[in-house]
């Protein structure tokens, strides 16, 4: 019998909206994937990463003989951009702040594309993008690069049902928000 070549670990690029209600669920999801052997690269804005670093406690080194020290292996990569926390915390973000975040991250799509392309020469190239549904431009990017894209809805099911209903001609949002999110098109590639 011939020897089997080991299947390389999948490498997932995770891209949340830079707001705590999106970062925290995606970070939790990333942790679960990482503990199952998936390589994770978590893309954050510099401001959001500073916030994570402030709120992270050091962990003890991994010991393969002690299952309680199997900490996730998540690689963080930053792109220029803000971190938006609603004021006061726990409330909904102002629509103009939301559109600003979408535009800011979409303007960095070339940086993310270059990062994915550069990973192809590494031992573990990126094989999938997990993105916030608000980043419609990640689908054309994934198609262009020949990788998978998965949407990760970070809020509850009622929110998803509400947004689905917004596509109805009975409910129209004004201007740019409707074009950016509901049409599935943005300023990306």
């Amino acid at each position: 019998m011939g020897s089997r070549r080991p299947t390389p670990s999948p490498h997932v690029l995770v891209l949340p909206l830079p707001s705590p209600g999106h970062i925290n669920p995606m970070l939790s999801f990333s942790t679960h994937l990482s503990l199952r052997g998936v390589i994770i690269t978590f893309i954050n804005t510099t401001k959001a990463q500073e916030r994570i670093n402030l709120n992270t406690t050091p962990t003890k080194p991994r010991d393969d003989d002690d299952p309680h020290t199997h900490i996730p292996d998540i690689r963080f990569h930053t792109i220029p951009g803000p971190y938006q926390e609603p004021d006061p915390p726990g409330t909904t973000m102002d629509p103009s702040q939301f559109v600003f975040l979408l535009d800011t991250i979409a303007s960095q799509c070339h940086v993310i594309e270059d990062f994915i392309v550069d990973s192809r020469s590494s031992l573990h190239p990126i094989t999938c993008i997990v993105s916030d549904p608000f980043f419609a431009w990640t689908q054309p990017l994934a198609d262009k690069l020949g990788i998978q894209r998965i949407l990760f809805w970070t809020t509850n099911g009622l929110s998803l049902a509400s947004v689905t209903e917004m596509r109805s001609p009975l409910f129209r949002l004004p201007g740019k928000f409707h074009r950016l999110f509901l049409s599935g098109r943005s300023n990306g590639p």
Side-chain angles (χ1 to χ4, degrees):
M1 280 201 209
S3 64
R4 282 189 166 176
R5 289 173 44 192
T7 305
S9 296
H11 185 173
V12 176
L13 180 115
V14 179
L15 182 63
L17 188 75
S19 180
H22 297 258
I23 292 172
N24 294 339
M26 284 196 167
L27 200 49
S28 178
F29 174 70
S30 297
T31 299
H32 288 287
L33 288 178
S34 176
L35 291 173
R36 286 161 179 77
V38 176
I39 299 165
I40 303 292
T41 298
F42 200 90
I43 300 279
N44 241 336
T45 62
T46 50
K47 293 289 183 191
Q49 190 61 42
E50 288 170 9
R51 185 70 175 225
I52 286 176
N53 292 344
L54 284 175
N55 294 313
T56 303
T57 56
T59 57
K60 62 182 181 176
R62 181 178 175 144
D63 176 1
D64 287 331
D65 295 327
D66 180 0
H68 300 313
T69 63
H70 285 215
I71 57 175
D73 180 19
I74 299 174
R75 304 164 186 185
F76 290 93
H77 182 75
T78 59
I79 57 174
Y83 171 78
Q84 195 64 52
E85 189 160 357
D87 187 30
T91 61
T92 304
M93 191 181 305
D94 177 82
S96 63
Q97 292 173 317
F98 184 73
V99 171
F100 172 73
L101 283 176
L102 293 178
D103 284 344
T104 302
I105 303 303
S107 73
Q108 297 297 316
C109 67
H110 65 284
V111 174
I112 295 167
E113 179 179 356
D114 291 345
F115 184 77
I116 294 169
V117 169
D118 290 347
S119 82
R120 290 182 171 163
S121 62
S122 73
L123 210 54
H124 301 285
I126 293 170
T127 55
C128 179
I129 299 172
V130 173
S131 70
D132 206 288
F134 297 107
F135 297 144
W137 55 268
T138 57
Q139 184 62 60
L141 177 63
D143 292 343
K144 178 180 177 181
L145 298 174
I147 61 176
Q148 297 295 311
R149 180 233 192 178
I150 298 169
L151 294 180
F152 187 85
W153 189 264
T154 59
T155 57
N156 63 43
L158 181 58
S159 296
L160 177 59
S162 299
V163 169
T164 302
E165 190 58 32
M166 283 183 205
R167 292 181 183 269
S168 163
L170 299 174
F171 184 83
R172 297 283 298 176
L173 292 174
K176 192 171 189 178
F177 180 78
H178 196 276
R179 285 192 316 274
L180 278 173
F181 176 61
L182 299 178
S183 69
R185 298 192 175 144
S186 70
N187 301 331

